[in-house]
Amino acid sequence: MRRFTTFLIEKKEEKTKKGPTDHLPHVGDYLYYGSPELAVDYTENMFNRIHNNEEHPNHEDSLKVDGSIGFFMGKDEEGKPFVSYKSGKQRFYSAKDILATGKEHYKRLLIPALYTVMKMKTMPAGTAIQADHLFDQRPNDDRFTSNTITYATPGGQSSFGFAPHSQYEVRGNGVIKVSNDPDHSHFKSVSNHVFAPKLSIKGKTFNPMEDEIASQVQQNIGTARAILDDQGLRNFASTVPQDKKFMDALQRWSNHVARTSGVRSTDDFINYVPTHVNRRKVSDKLKQKELDSHLSFIDQNREHFDALFNAHNILTQAKHHMVDHLAAHHHMFDIKPHGNGEHEGLVSATNDGEMYKFVREGPGGFPERNAARTAELRNSSAK
C-alpha cells in the first residue's frame, strides 16, 4: 500500500496548503496555486483515465459520493475498536461514552459505526477508515438521500450504509493517511448488514468517448496549455499564493462561481472582492486598506488574470464532458443515483497528498444544488 504525505487529523475544517477552503478544490483551481500547469496536467490525466483507460501510477481516482457526516472507525494500536466524529480528534470506545455527549446525531451515527467495527475481525490493530454516512436504518423505499443527491437503495438488507474513502494508520492520538482506496476485505464480516460501496475506479474499464466529444476535450486541454505557454503568465501565477489574504479572496470567489454561474471573469472577481472584504472581522480602516490592495493588484495584472480565468473556463468545459461521460457508466459502481440523477463527480489524489475534484459547476451543478439544500436545512432548523 502506498504511503501518502503524513499528517494528523486535528482540524475541524479541511485546509489545504493553498489556503482555507471548506471543500476539496476543483481541478481548475490549481491554476492559482503556484504551478498552473498542474491544472492542465491533472485534467489530461483524468481524460486519459476515463477515455483511454490509462491508469496513472501516481494517482488514485475515485467516485465522489455525496454522504452527510464524515467519521472515523478503526482500531487503535492496542486493537481496541473506536469511532470518531468528523476529524478523528476525539475517540469513543463505548456506546456509553457516545450517549454521554447528549448529542443525538452522535448516537445515530457513531453507535452503529462502533458496533460495526467491533465485528470487523480482519481489521488489524492500528488501522482506521474514514467514511461518509449514507444511512443508519434500512431505507423504506427504492431511494435514500443522505445529503443532496438521491441514491437508489442497494440490494440486500443493509441497515447501516457508509461510503469509505480513505484508510489510515493509527499512531498514538493521531492518524496517518496511507491510501484513498480502503481495504474492503475489512467489511466482509459485516456485509450482511452493512452497505459500504467501493469507490475506487481502479481496474474499471470505461467505454471511449464519442470521437467528436473526445476531440473537443483534447482541444480544450491543448488550448489551456497554449495559454500557459506564456512564460510571463507562468511567472505571475507562481506569485499569486504569496499574499494569503488575496488568495483567500480568490479561492472563495472561485467557490462562489462554482455555485452560481460556473464562468470566471476578471470583472466578476472585481465585483466580488468588496463583498468578501466587507465580511472580514477587522476594522473599517483595515478593510479599506485590504480592498485597495486587492483591487490594485488585479488592475495592475488584469491581462494575466484574464488569461488565467479564460484557461479555467476552458478546462471547466473539458471537465463537464468528463462528468457527462461518467454518467454513462453509473452501472459500473456499487452505489447508483436514483432514476436519471447523476453522481457528484470524481476525485483524484496524488501520492504526495494533493487532492482535487471533477464536479459539474454552474447552473444545475452539484455545488449549486448542495448550496440550495444547505440553505433549506438551515431554514427548516431555524423554524
Side-chain angles (χ1 to χ4, degrees):
M1 186 176 291
R2 297 194 296 270
R3 181 175 298 278
F4 275 56
T5 303
T6 299
F7 61 95
L8 296 181
I9 305 299
E10 295 181 343
K11 299 179 181 179
K12 180 179 180 181
E13 243 182 19
E14 178 183 296
K15 295 192 182 276
T16 71
K17 67 183 181 182
K18 301 93 186 172
T21 176
D22 295 335
H23 305 282
L24 287 176
H26 293 272
V27 64
D29 288 337
Y30 271 77
L31 288 163
Y32 320 125
Y33 295 165
S35 299
E37 65 278 0
L38 289 179
V40 184
D41 292 343
Y42 291 162
T43 301
E44 187 169 39
N45 287 342
M46 185 59 79
F47 170 70
N48 287 332
R49 175 63 188 89
I50 66 174
H51 174 65
N52 299 317
N53 290 305
E54 296 178 7
E55 295 193 350
H56 197 288
N58 298 322
H59 291 250
E60 287 184 333
D61 304 314
S62 305
L63 185 68
K64 196 170 191 313
V65 169
D66 179 37
S68 56
I69 302 169
F71 67 97
F72 278 82
M73 58 197 309
K75 296 180 181 179
D76 65 17
E77 292 173 290
E78 296 180 358
K80 297 178 180 178
F82 72 89
V83 291
S84 297
Y85 184 71
K86 286 189 176 180
S87 69
K89 186 175 182 180
Q90 182 182 15
R91 295 179 186 170
F92 297 95
Y93 288 87
S94 70
K96 182 179 179 180
D97 291 340
I98 297 170
L99 291 171
T101 66
K103 298 178 179 179
E104 184 62 29
H105 58 293
Y106 274 36
K107 172 185 173 182
R108 190 176 66 253
L109 166 65
L110 296 183
I111 290 179
L114 181 60
Y115 288 159
T116 296
V117 76
M118 285 178 173
K119 296 178 181 179
M120 291 183 184
K121 304 303 181 184
T122 62
M123 177 180 278
T127 302
I129 300 292
Q130 189 178 25
D132 291 333
H133 172 260
L134 294 176
F135 56 81
D136 48 68
Q137 57 183 351
R138 181 69 185 173
N140 292 325
D141 52 25
D142 64 346
R143 70 199 71 179
F144 69 90
T145 304
S146 52
N147 183 42
T148 297
I149 295 176
T150 298
Y151 292 103
T153 299
Q157 297 300 316
S158 306
S159 58
F160 181 44
F162 55 88
H165 55 74
S166 45
Q167 185 161 323
Y168 296 76
E169 178 182 328
V170 180
R171 286 192 184 178
N173 294 324
V175 292
I176 300 171
K177 190 182 225 181
V178 295
S179 177
N180 283 286
D181 184 12
D183 184 352
H184 276 250
S185 67
H186 301 323
F187 309 131
K188 288 183 178 179
S189 59
V190 295
S191 59
N192 61 329
H193 75 277
V194 163
F195 174 59
K198 188 172 179 60
L199 307 183
S200 172
I201 67 173
K202 184 176 182 180
K204 293 188 180 297
T205 301
F206 289 79
N207 294 323
M209 293 180 178
E210 294 181 5
D211 290 345
E212 183 179 348
I213 299 299
S215 178
Q216 182 62 59
V217 174
Q218 290 170 321
Q219 182 179 338
N220 291 149
I221 293 171
T223 301
R225 197 177 295 283
I227 292 172
L228 295 178
D229 280 344
D230 185 311
Q231 185 62 52
L233 176 61
R234 292 201 305 275
N235 290 343
F236 166 74
S238 70
T239 69
V240 172
Q242 294 175 6
D243 185 334
K244 293 182 179 179
K245 291 180 181 178
F246 182 84
M247 187 62 203
D248 181 53
L250 178 58
Q251 181 66 77
R252 293 185 187 279
W253 167 72
S254 188
N255 291 344
H256 169 75
V257 172
R259 295 189 298 268
T260 53
S261 70
V263 179
R264 292 161 180 80
S265 72
T266 305
D267 285 337
D268 189 70
F269 185 32
I270 290 172
N271 290 334
Y272 175 85
V273 169
T275 301
H276 168 78
V277 172
N278 192 52
R279 291 172 179 160
R280 300 257 296 140
K281 296 180 180 180
V282 296
S283 67
D284 290 344
K285 182 178 180 180
L286 286 177
K287 285 181 181 179
Q288 189 61 51
K289 181 179 180 181
E290 188 174 314
L291 177 62
D292 292 343
S293 175
H294 290 349
L295 294 179
S296 175
F297 183 62
I298 298 170
D299 183 62
Q300 292 172 17
N301 298 281
R302 183 178 183 111
E303 183 178 346
H304 291 322
F305 281 112
D306 285 344
L308 287 176
F309 297 154
N310 184 30
H312 198 152
N313 293 333
I314 291 168
L315 290 178
T316 297
Q317 293 173 19
K319 178 176 67 171
H320 286 177
H321 283 308
M322 288 187 269
V323 174
D324 289 339
H325 193 57
L326 171 66
H329 294 81
H330 286 170
H331 62 279
M332 298 198 310
F333 297 95
D334 296 338
I335 184 169
K336 302 172 179 62
H338 181 266
N340 295 321
E342 70 175 20
H343 277 299
E344 180 178 347
L346 295 165
V347 60
S348 188
T350 67
N351 284 357
D352 59 3
E354 299 290 345
M355 293 185 70
Y356 46 92
K357 61 188 177 184
F358 292 80
V359 173
R360 191 184 306 282
E361 301 181 38
F366 177 79
E368 180 195 58
R369 290 185 291 125
N370 192 49
R373 174 63 173 165
T374 299
E376 178 186 340
L377 293 174
R378 185 181 297 116
N379 291 335
S380 63
S381 64
K383 293 179 180 179

